[in-house]
């Protein structure tokens, strides 16, 4: 797409970014793009996001909104929906297309990925992943794409387990469901069992709402070193969308 190429060329020519990648969509639809950027360390995110906003306004993008300080949403006159993510590290996605990577950074580069032994950072990543996949679940619900909604819901559920492993076991690598349940409060473990029973194609939004309700109690009680790192505005935005959806 020419507009996207022009934007990337501008960012590269101005030496603003060190990496850019696009999430590969689950469907063939071309009107929804998530572009992730990692700025150079000398870059001020807010300054360069404003520069990008001004640039896109000259390229037929008619509307703009800020989902969070680091996630911007643009809509072009021909219906293209562009989500621009200013990231601090490489998030793990099943599929992504790297469009600029001169330093050959990858998901295993410890300077940019979340170290699995660092429980605090992994917890932040898990919350972001859960938020993002529940947002996707809601979008697929609007499009009546029930199977794709279930796929996103299952991914959100996986992020939930990862968060709980961090929270209770201090070990994101532990995947023992029964052991995790044994470490949780009885009411929490029963609620988690209920969520799992609802993860099916005919109750996608009901399960999504339960996950939000469940995780919300944890987020309000996060230690400050975790709370200050999470994308709380994005989480609250997703929470509002999911809670207002009809079952």
């Amino acid at each position: 797409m020419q507009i996207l190429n022009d934007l990337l060329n501008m960012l590269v020519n101005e030496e603003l970014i060190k990496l850019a990648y696009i999430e590969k969509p689950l469907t063939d639809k071309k009107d929804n793009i998530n572009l992730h950027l990692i700025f150079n360390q000398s870059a001020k995110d807010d300054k360069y996001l404003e520069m990008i906003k001004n640039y896109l306004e000259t390229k037929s993008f008619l509307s703009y909104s800020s989902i969070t300080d680091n996630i911007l949403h643009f809509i072009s006159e021909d219906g293209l929906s562009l989500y621009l993510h200013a990231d601090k590290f490489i998030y793990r996605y099943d599929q992504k297309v790297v469009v600029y990577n001169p330093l050959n950074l990858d998901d295993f580069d410890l300077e940019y990925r979340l170290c699995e032994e660092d429980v605090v950072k992994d917890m932040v990543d898990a919350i972001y992943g859960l938020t993002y996949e529940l947002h996707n679940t809601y979008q697929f619900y609007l499009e009546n794409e029930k199977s794709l909604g279930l796929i996103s819901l299952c991914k959100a559920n996986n992020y939930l387990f990862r968060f709980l492993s961090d929270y209770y076991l201090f070990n994101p690598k532990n995947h023992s469901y029964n052991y995790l349940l044994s470490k949780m409060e009885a009411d929490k473990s029963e609620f988690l069992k209920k969520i799992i029973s609802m993860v099916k194609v005919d109750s996608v939004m009901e399960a999504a709402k339960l996950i939000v309700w469940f995780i919300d109690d944890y987020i309000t009680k996060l230690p400050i070193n975790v709370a200050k790192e999470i994308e709380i505005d994005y989480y609250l935005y997703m929470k509002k969308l999911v809670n207002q959806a009809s079952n």
Side-chain angles (χ1 to χ4, degrees):
M1 179 172 295
Q2 190 58 47
I3 292 177
L4 202 56
N5 289 337
D6 291 345
L7 173 61
L8 288 169
N9 286 335
M10 184 274 287
L11 295 171
V12 171
N13 291 336
E14 296 292 333
E15 299 182 344
L16 302 185
I17 60 172
K18 62 179 63 177
L19 182 140
Y21 64 90
I22 299 171
E23 295 169 41
K24 190 173 181 180
L26 291 172
T27 67
D28 293 330
K29 295 180 179 179
K30 307 298 183 183
D31 57 352
N32 196 335
I33 295 177
N34 280 274
L35 174 64
H36 292 253
L37 304 173
I38 295 181
F39 290 114
N40 285 317
Q41 291 180 350
S42 60
K44 298 292 185 181
D45 288 1
D46 54 351
K47 175 182 177 181
Y48 292 108
L49 288 174
E50 184 66 23
M51 182 184 296
I52 292 171
K53 174 180 175 293
N54 293 336
Y55 179 82
L56 289 176
E57 285 177 346
T58 70
K59 296 290 183 177
S60 77
F61 278 83
L62 302 179
S63 65
Y64 152 82
S65 61
S66 177
I67 295 177
T68 74
D69 289 341
N70 296 320
I71 305 176
L72 307 182
H73 181 209
F74 300 89
I75 300 177
S76 71
E77 62 183 11
D78 59 358
L80 171 67
S81 185
L82 171 64
Y83 291 90
L84 184 67
H85 304 251
D87 295 337
K88 300 298 184 184
F89 37 72
I90 302 172
Y91 286 106
R92 299 172 196 160
Y93 294 107
D94 290 344
Q95 300 181 80
K96 56 177 170 281
V97 178
V98 176
V99 292
Y100 180 71
N101 188 15
L103 300 179
N104 293 318
L105 305 177
D106 60 34
D107 288 348
F108 301 98
D109 191 309
L110 294 182
E111 184 178 357
Y112 301 104
R113 78 183 274 268
L114 290 170
C115 181
E116 291 190 354
E117 284 71 32
D118 187 333
V119 175
V120 171
K121 288 184 178 180
D122 194 81
M123 199 178 296
V124 172
D125 181 39
I127 293 172
Y128 182 93
L130 183 147
T131 301
Y132 176 79
E133 293 302 341
L134 287 178
H135 187 192
N136 277 349
T137 301
Y138 173 77
Q139 294 294 339
F140 286 129
Y141 156 78
L142 292 182
E143 297 170 5
N144 200 30
E145 294 279 5
K146 294 183 179 180
S147 296
L148 294 176
L150 180 60
I151 291 172
S152 290
L153 181 67
C154 288
K155 290 181 179 180
N157 202 44
N158 289 338
Y159 278 114
L160 176 61
F161 273 97
R162 196 166 117 192
F163 169 83
L164 293 173
S165 292
D166 287 325
Y167 191 91
Y168 287 100
L169 309 176
F170 307 103
N171 180 4
K173 294 182 179 180
N174 191 302
H175 299 295
S176 172
Y177 170 61
N178 290 328
Y179 181 61
L180 175 61
L181 287 178
S182 72
K183 295 296 183 180
M184 296 174 64
E185 303 90 336
D187 60 329
K188 296 288 188 183
S189 63
E190 289 303 313
F191 200 112
L192 185 59
K193 291 177 184 178
K194 182 177 180 180
I195 291 173
I196 295 169
S197 70
M198 298 288 287
V199 178
K200 48 191 177 182
V201 73
D202 58 349
S203 56
V204 167
M205 286 312 302
E206 294 96 321
K209 290 182 180 182
L210 289 181
I211 292 176
V212 170
W213 190 8
F214 182 78
I215 196 68
D216 200 55
D217 189 49
Y218 288 92
I219 287 180
T220 59
K221 299 173 183 176
L222 286 174
I224 188 63
N225 62 331
V226 179
K228 68 180 183 180
E229 298 294 334
I230 65 173
E231 292 279 2
I232 188 62
D233 289 342
Y234 186 29
Y235 170 77
L236 293 174
Y237 174 77
M238 175 279 297
K239 176 182 174 181
K240 179 181 178 181
L241 294 178
V242 170
N243 284 338
Q244 73 185 13
S246 300
N247 290 331

